[in-house]
Amino acid sequence: MRPIWKGSISFSLVSMPVQLLAATEEHGSGLHQVHALDGGRIRHRKVCELDGREVAQHEIARGWEVPDGRTVVLDEADIAALPLPTKRVIDVVGFLDADQVDPLMYSRPYWVAPEGPASQRPYALLTEALARSGRLAVCKVAIRSRERLAVLRPKHGMLVLQTLLWPEEIRDPGDLSSPAPVTDRELRLAEMLMDELAGVDIDQLHDEYAAALEQLVDAKAIGEGLAPALEPGPVVDLMAALEESVRAARHARNGDEQDENRTPRGGK
C-alpha cells in the first residue's frame, strides 16, 4: 500500500511523524455503460462548455463562482498555498468516549503508520492509552483539498484515522418512527429470534449479488437467462411470522450443531 498523506499527529506538546494508508477498497460490479443497440462502450469525456473542446487532464483546474457570476480559477499551487495548519498535521482537539460519536457520522478509514524511529514510542503510547481508556481522539485534518473532522482509534495495536461527516452534512429525516404499537409477546418473540440468530461470523459472509451477476452474464453469453428469485411478500400475521422464524432459526442452529458433532476428529 502506498501512503496517500504524510504529516504528523499533534496533541498538546506531543508530535509524531506519520503517514496514512487507505484501509479499504471497494470492489466494483464489473458493469460499465454501453450502447444498448450495439454494445459499444459509452465514454464520458471532459468537455469545456464554452468552446466545446475536449480538455486534457493537465489543463483542468478548480473553479469557484463568486456572487457576480465570474469564476475564480484555482490551480494546484493555489490550493497547496492555503494557510491551513491541518494540511500536514492531524490536529487532536480533544477526546470523547467511543459511544459519544454517532456511527452515522463515520466516513472513510485510513491506517496510520508511524514514520521514522522517533515516532515509534509516542505512537505506541497513544495507541495503548486510547485502548485502555476506551476513548477516541477527535481531530481535524486536511485530505484531498478538504479539511475533515476525524477520530483516531486503536485496532490490533495500530491506529486508525476514521474521517467523519461534519454535523451539518447529516440530513435531518424528520420523524420516520412508526406509530404502530407492539405487544410484550411480540417483543419477547423478537428477542428470542435475535438470540437464536446471535453470533454471526461476518468474515464468512460474501457478496452474493456479485456471484449472481456473474451467473447472469454467463447465462446471457450463451443466450439463456436465469429463473427469477422469489421475493418475500408482506407479513400478514406478525405473531405467526415471528413464531415460525424462531422455529426455523432453532432448527437450523440445531442442525449445524449436529453436523459439527458428527465431524470426526481431524476434520476428515
Side-chain angles (χ1 to χ4, degrees), residues 122-161:
Y123 180 96
L125 176 62
L126 179 58
T127 305
E128 181 61 26
L130 290 174
R132 183 177 298 188
S133 68
R135 292 178 176 175
L136 305 173
V138 181
C139 47
K140 296 201 300 181
V141 60
I143 303 176
R144 291 173 178 159
S145 304
R146 282 190 60 196
E147 185 172 69
R148 300 173 186 269
L149 190 62
V151 293
L152 287 167
R153 57 185 179 85
K155 185 174 179 63
H156 304 320
M158 299 177 287
L159 283 176
V160 174
L161 178 90

Side-chain angles (χ1 to χ4, degrees), residues 97-227:
D97 292 336
D99 60 3
Q100 291 181 275
V101 178
D102 188 340
L104 195 63
M105 297 181 69
Y106 283 123
S107 184
R108 180 166 294 183
Y110 298 90
W111 295 114
V112 183
E115 189 170 30
S119 64
Q120 297 292 334
R121 191 170 180 185
Y123 180 96
L125 176 62
L126 179 58
T127 305
E128 181 61 26
L130 290 174
R132 183 177 298 188
S133 68
R135 292 178 176 175
L136 305 173
V138 181
C139 47
K140 296 201 300 181
V141 60
I143 303 176
R144 291 173 178 159
S145 304
R146 282 190 60 196
E147 185 172 69
R148 300 173 186 269
L149 190 62
V151 293
L152 287 167
R153 57 185 179 85
K155 185 174 179 63
H156 304 320
M158 299 177 287
L159 283 176
V160 174
L161 178 90
Q162 188 103 32
T163 60
L164 305 177
L165 299 171
W166 293 97
E168 60 269 21
E169 293 179 307
I170 304 295
R171 291 179 173 178
D172 181 2
D175 186 5
L176 302 180
S177 61
S178 171
V182 294
T183 67
D184 289 341
R185 172 66 175 158
E186 290 169 341
L187 284 173
R188 285 196 297 272
L189 281 171
E191 291 168 354
M192 288 173 60
L193 180 57
M194 288 189 288
D195 289 340
E196 293 294 335
L197 297 176
V200 62
D201 185 354
I202 292 180
D203 291 335
Q204 299 301 314
L205 300 180
H206 303 286
D207 186 353
E208 295 182 18
Y209 183 92
L213 188 59
E214 288 186 13
Q215 292 177 4
L216 175 61
V217 170
D218 291 342
K220 294 278 284 187
I222 59 175
E224 298 179 357
L226 295 180

Side-chain angles (χ1 to χ4, degrees), residues 215-246:
Q215 292 177 4
L216 175 61
V217 170
D218 291 342
K220 294 278 284 187
I222 59 175
E224 298 179 357
L226 295 180
L230 296 177
E231 296 188 6
V235 174
V236 177
D237 187 333
L238 180 58
M239 285 290 295
L242 285 170
E243 290 171 347
E244 181 59 31
S245 296
V246 170

